[in-house]
Amino acid sequence: MLAATTLLVAGCSAGQGDPKVALTVGDVNVSTVEQVQQKLNDLLATNKGAQDQARQRKLAEISRGIVEQQARIQLAADAAKKLGITLDEQLVEQSIPTLTGEQATQGEPFQGIVDAAFPAKDIARYRLTLIELGGRAIGRNAVTFDVAFLQNLGDARALAKKVAEDPARSAELMQKAPNTVQEPGIGQTQDPSKARDPQQLLQVSASPLFNLPVGSVVATRLNGEQGGYIVFHLKGKQPAQPPNGFDPTSVDPMQLAQVGQALLVPLAQQAGVQPNPRFGTWDPVTLKVVSVEESSVVSTVLQAKTPKP
């Protein structure tokens, strides 16, 4: 089993960059291929879930998950530094029972396997940082956007490119887009002060699309069983306030962490995240490292051209 892992991670690398580096975030080499290899070996020696994954020939998924988690941990640390967030180490220790394990991964066994590749204290610190980020940001921005829903990615990418090149025609282009699956949403607004309930507020605040820089034009897959793709143009963002009486401390901490994770999207976009190609391709919207097979449908994020005066 360990030999198979070695063959998996030591495969040939393609593309630019140091082939020994597993992950770069900004100008930081976060990890080496050898370090990812060691985490895999340690998991296979100690973790039953990882051993089960190996029997199902899913070691590549674990390695991608490790690199993906390394990227998110680095981005969260960068966000904390930028915002002056410091965590009490005693609190981090005390949070390990609640911010690691099944209760923190919401019943996702695979995430539990990936978490087990890291020291529990590092995972607790990471999630505490996300919770702090989410608590500070939830319901603080209102956004205006156009959105179209299309059947295939080729049409979605073509539309996103047209909108980015001529953002003043965003509405017109989306309304005329071919192979749509429902009416586009033109000039839509999400205002947190008008949220019907805390769950709607959380859903909006945890959307990666609403946390991108103004002018972003995205083509990405829709979540859920319905399939399809969306083209999303973030046209404006204004400071806002959550509904009267909303108390972020009353929210499930793991839901706040989801909001905090969405805030990493623009940071990742600004810094640049580059996994070694042997592990996969970075998706700038989902913050995932996707397989070679899925790389053809990775999300596209463009910046709309600024109109000439």
Side-chain angles (χ1 to χ4, degrees), residues 81-117:
K81 184 177 180 181
K82 183 177 181 180
L83 297 175
I85 295 174
T86 57
L87 299 176
D88 181 88
E89 288 302 302
Q90 185 175 358
L91 175 60
V92 175
E93 289 277 4
Q94 293 172 347
S95 299
I96 289 175
T98 56
L99 296 184
T100 63
E102 291 184 8
Q103 63 280 0
T105 57
Q106 299 178 335
E108 295 183 21
F110 181 77
Q111 186 59 53
I113 294 171
V114 172
D115 284 358

Side-chain angles (χ1 to χ4, degrees), residues 67-79:
V67 175
E68 177 184 301
Q69 188 77 307
Q70 288 176 329
R72 292 179 177 182
I73 288 173
Q74 181 66 41
L75 289 167
D78 291 346

Side-chain angles (χ1 to χ4, degrees), residues 138-147 149 185-197 199-207 209-211 232-243:
I138 187 169
R140 298 296 176 180
N141 285 304
V143 295
T144 304
F145 59 94
D146 294 340
V147 61
F149 306 87
I186 303 301
Q188 299 290 302
T189 298
Q190 287 286 356
D191 186 341
S193 67
K194 298 177 182 178
R196 295 188 303 270
D197 52 52
Q199 285 306 310
Q200 184 190 26
L201 179 61
L202 283 162
Q203 185 178 10
V204 171
S205 299
S207 167
L209 298 178
F210 295 148
N211 285 282
F232 177 90
H233 178 201
L234 185 60
K235 300 169 72 173
K237 186 181 295 186
Q238 302 82 32
Q241 293 295 327

Side-chain angles (χ1 to χ4, degrees), residues 156-203:
R157 285 178 171 168
L159 176 59
K161 184 178 180 181
K162 290 179 182 178
V163 172
E165 290 176 348
D166 194 355
R169 296 178 60 218
S170 174
E172 175 191 349
L173 291 167
M174 289 192 181
Q175 288 168 332
K176 292 182 178 179
N179 300 316
T180 56
V181 295
Q182 66 184 75
E183 285 295 315
I186 303 301
Q188 299 290 302
T189 298
Q190 287 286 356
D191 186 341
S193 67
K194 298 177 182 178
R196 295 188 303 270
D197 52 52
Q199 285 306 310
Q200 184 190 26
L201 179 61
L202 283 162
Q203 185 178 10

